[in-house]
């Protein structure tokens, strides 16, 4: 699954890990995150993320 990086703070959303602190289970693709999900590090919205290729 595709990872996404926050353009503001460089937080990487890894679907293999999810976002447990926000109630997002491991295995959750970025595309299906709730529209009101925010970056856990800086609080910006999903629109401020872009695909990340490591």
């Amino acid at each position: 699954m595709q990872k996404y990086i926050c353009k503001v703070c460089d937080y990487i959303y890894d679907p293999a890990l999810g976002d447990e602190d926000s109630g997002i289970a491991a295995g959750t693709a970025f595309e299906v995150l709730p529209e009101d999900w925010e970056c856990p590090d800086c609080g910006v919205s999903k629109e401020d993320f872009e695909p990340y290729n490591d």
Side-chain angles (χ1 to χ4, degrees), residues 10-32:
D10 293 331
Y11 168 83
I12 297 171
Y13 176 77
D14 183 347
L17 303 175
D19 179 12
E20 288 185 21
D21 292 340
S22 297
I24 307 297
T28 303
F30 184 82
E31 295 80 9
V32 299

Side-chain angles (χ1 to χ4, degrees), residues 4-7 14 23-25 31 33 44 48 50:
Y4 282 76
I5 188 167
C6 177
K7 295 184 281 187
D14 183 347
I24 307 297
E31 295 80 9
L33 290 173
V44 298
D48 292 304
E50 62 188 7

Side-chain angles (χ1 to χ4, degrees), residues 33-50:
L33 290 173
E35 287 304 312
D36 62 350
W37 179 82
E38 298 176 339
C39 176
D41 285 354
C42 70
V44 298
S45 68
K46 285 176 62 175
E47 288 81 33
D48 292 304
F49 280 73
E50 62 188 7

